[in-house]
Amino acid sequence: MEVIQIAIIYFTEHGYRLAKKVKEKLENTKQEFYIKIGKEPQQSLREWCQQSFLDAQIIIFIGAIGIAVRTIAPLIQDKFKDPAVLVLDELGTYVIPILSGHVGRGNEWAKFLSEQLSAIAVITTATDLYGKFAVDVFAVKQKLILTDRILAKKISSAVLTGEKIGFYCEGKVYGQLPKELVWEINKNFVKKFFKAEEENPLEELQEVSKVEKKQLEALQEVSKVEGKKNLEEVSDSSIQVFSERKKNRKYLVFVGIHCFKKMQNTLFLYPKVIVIGIGCKLGKTSEEIERFICRLLEEHQIAIESVCCLASIDKKKEEIGIVKFSQKYQLPFDTFSSEQLAQIPGIFSESKFVKESVGIGNVCERAAVCAAMEINNKNHRKNDVSIEVVSSILIQKKVVENGITLALAQAEWSVVFE
């Protein structure tokens, strides 16, 4: 679980007592926090704030809102990167998020503290005021990468004017779709996800409707098998026909690992769940590795934003080309021993030369699967290690180019509507 850092500043004895109470309430939750109250003796308020902007995800001022505004003003840069800033008056009557209410979850924490302190949360963002779906909040809660800020803003504006937004998700969906969203699919990607007999369901709308129902029923069955919360019932009237986007639905939210560049007015939200397993001969450059990886992802129409890490054998831990590529794209580089990789069951593309070199016949496929399974375990989705599980995780077996081998694996993921 991610540890959230919180910095709290106060100016009077009353403020200090409230700061301790806030700390106590936060620490009684299941979330892990590192909470620092006050500043260093020789530290100015501006210096404290500058350091807090670098270190903390949440900054709390206990005092006048004007002090907070003047202090943070020179430091504000980007709503997608700035920390959430909350202001509490010394009596604990009001909790006011003044920065990063959506992406930084400031509104969410303001509401939580208002409940814990019997205070009033002063929320001013429009979607919250009217109880509307906010796509940026959804992305943050579901840990999805949002890449088009302008389009996200347009969608929020459309929601506020009463427009319906199309929605499609490649993964499992739990809960009930908000009333602002409607299930939909676009013909640009319908063929990629349906069997041959259903490849072009757009001609017969009745058949298309059956396909949608099939998918929802399948998701319900999956949720029952896994013992998770069942999908809430979806009435026939709310099931949208697979068709080209309706003229009165200008925008679509697409959640998945793929990117379809020709789709206009589509906001792609990417789960970081793709693992790139890699092996290579000594001395391969980062440029060679980058070209091969980017081309492979493009062939599969997988967005590089969906990649969560690279994986290989520990003997490649210091391989400069891989290390430089991982640094450029800010991707973790996970490595495993040959003993760990050998424990992964399944049929892999074995190489006698590789086995003689590193002690195991396949690096990229086994490493990709191993890393994806570790992610599943961290997300409390433990599976029995079986050949069936491995085959479902490995979505691209080994491909070779100029002394570099790549494989792709996908960790489990889903989205939840509360």
Side-chain angles (χ1 to χ4, degrees):
M1 183 182 292
E2 179 189 5
V3 178
I4 296 177
Q5 295 197 49
I6 300 179
I8 306 177
I9 193 70
Y10 61 92
F11 305 100
T12 68
E13 186 62 31
H14 285 294
Y16 176 61
R17 287 198 290 270
L18 182 56
K20 290 200 298 182
K21 188 175 181 180
V22 168
K23 183 175 186 288
E24 177 186 334
K25 296 295 185 182
L26 289 168
E27 289 178 339
N28 285 335
T29 66
K30 293 180 180 180
Q31 176 64 54
E32 292 186 35
F33 294 103
Y34 174 76
I35 303 174
K36 185 177 180 181
I37 296 178
K39 58 185 180 64
E40 301 299 328
Q42 304 303 318
Q43 196 177 33
S44 70
L45 178 59
R46 177 165 292 186
E47 289 170 340
W48 171 86
C49 197
Q50 287 175 335
Q51 192 60 48
S52 298
F53 256 67
L54 293 174
D55 299 336
Q57 286 80 51
I58 304 172
I59 298 174
I60 300 176
F61 283 81
I62 299 179
I65 196 169
I67 296 174
V69 170
R70 284 192 296 271
T71 306
I72 70 172
L75 303 172
I76 297 173
Q77 293 184 346
D78 187 327
K79 66 177 287 184
F80 285 84
K81 296 179 181 178
D82 291 334
V85 179
L86 310 181
V87 178
L88 284 74
D89 64 285
E90 290 188 353
L91 297 180
T93 306
Y94 300 102
V95 185
I96 311 168
I98 63 171
L99 186 67
S100 201
H102 278 176
V103 178
R105 300 171 62 192
N107 292 353
E108 182 182 334
W109 289 111
K111 291 174 184 176
F112 170 80
L113 288 176
S114 69
E115 294 171 0
Q116 297 297 311
L117 301 171
S118 298
I120 299 170
V122 181
I123 308 297
T124 58
T125 45
T127 50
D128 293 273
L129 286 175
Y130 294 103
K132 300 286 188 178
F133 171 77
V135 70
D136 51 355
V137 174
F138 172 73
V140 170
K141 285 188 175 182
Q142 303 300 315
K143 298 182 179 178
L144 304 170
I145 305 301
L146 187 157
T147 57
D148 192 331
R149 305 178 187 188
I150 295 174
L151 186 54
K153 188 174 181 179
K154 288 180 179 178
I155 288 175
S156 292
S157 298
V159 165
L160 289 170
T161 60
E163 290 186 40
K164 295 290 186 180
I165 309 299
F167 179 83
Y168 183 75
C169 181
E170 294 180 330
K172 300 169 189 174
V173 179
Y174 296 97
Q176 188 169 2
L177 216 60
K179 61 182 181 296
E180 295 84 7
L181 304 181
V182 287
W183 295 100
E184 192 167 2
I185 196 165
N186 182 284
K187 69 178 182 180
N188 288 326
F189 55 86
V190 67
K191 292 184 179 182
K192 193 171 186 68
F193 301 107
F194 288 90
K195 297 176 182 178
E197 63 270 20
E198 298 171 343
E199 271 198 351
N200 189 13
L202 302 175
E203 295 176 2
E204 297 292 337
L205 296 185
Q206 186 61 35
E207 289 301 309
V208 171
S209 180
K210 289 179 182 178
V211 172
E212 172 73 337
K213 289 178 183 178
K214 275 188 196 176
Q215 189 181 53
L216 291 172
E217 288 168 0
L219 288 174
Q220 287 175 322
E221 289 302 314
V222 169
S223 67
K224 290 176 185 177
V225 170
E226 295 184 348
K228 297 183 179 179
K229 178 182 177 183
N230 291 345
L231 286 166
E232 293 187 24
E233 291 297 323
V234 182
S235 65
D236 286 345
S237 62
S238 69
I239 296 177
Q240 300 301 311
V241 172
F242 282 0
S243 64
E244 292 190 72
R245 194 155 331 146
K246 306 295 182 185
K247 290 182 180 180
N248 62 342
R249 285 206 292 278
K250 183 177 180 181
Y251 299 108
L252 173 71
V253 173
F254 179 98
V255 183
I257 63 172
H258 295 93
C259 176
F260 301 93
K261 296 178 181 179
K262 293 183 180 180
M263 291 173 59
Q264 297 181 347
N265 291 331
T266 299
L267 180 62
F268 290 93
L269 303 179
Y270 301 115
K272 292 188 76 67
V273 292
I274 297 298
V275 178
I276 300 176
I278 184 168
C280 68
K281 292 181 178 178
L282 186 65
K284 287 296 169 181
T285 67
S286 61
E287 291 79 13
E288 291 176 294
I289 291 169
E290 181 176 13
R291 282 195 297 270
F292 190 13
I293 288 177
C294 289
R295 187 166 64 256
L296 180 63
L297 294 177
E298 188 172 353
E299 287 173 1
H300 286 270
Q301 293 183 286
I302 293 175
I304 196 162
E305 291 87 353
S306 293
V307 177
C308 60
C309 68
L310 305 178
S312 191
I313 194 166
D314 55 8
K315 290 181 173 61
K316 289 294 178 181
K317 190 173 185 178
E318 306 296 332
E319 185 68 44
I320 190 63
I322 302 176
V323 171
K324 282 187 174 181
F325 175 83
S326 68
Q327 290 173 343
K328 178 177 179 178
Y329 286 88
Q330 298 182 329
L331 294 169
F333 179 30
D334 298 334
T335 58
F336 305 92
S337 67
S338 57
E339 290 77 16
Q340 287 176 294
L341 297 180
Q343 292 175 8
I344 304 297
I347 301 172
F348 298 102
S349 308
E350 300 290 324
S351 164
K352 184 178 179 181
F353 172 77
V354 173
K355 188 169 186 177
E356 291 174 351
S357 301
V358 298
I360 191 166
N362 182 293
V363 169
C364 62
E365 292 177 0
R366 290 179 181 270
V369 170
C370 196
M373 291 177 67
E374 281 201 348
I375 294 169
N376 291 346
N377 291 341
K378 287 178 184 177
N379 292 336
H380 308 293
R381 296 168 180 163
K382 293 187 178 181
N383 291 307
D384 294 328
V385 181
S386 65
I387 293 177
E388 289 77 13
V389 169
V390 169
S391 63
S392 67
I393 291 174
L394 191 64
I395 61 174
Q396 169 62 63
K397 294 181 74 67
K398 181 176 76 173
V399 287
V400 185
E401 178 180 286
N402 194 26
I404 305 169
T405 61
L406 299 177
L408 301 177
Q410 181 176 200
E412 294 180 26
W413 66 280
S414 61
V415 298
V416 180
F417 288 101
E418 298 174 355

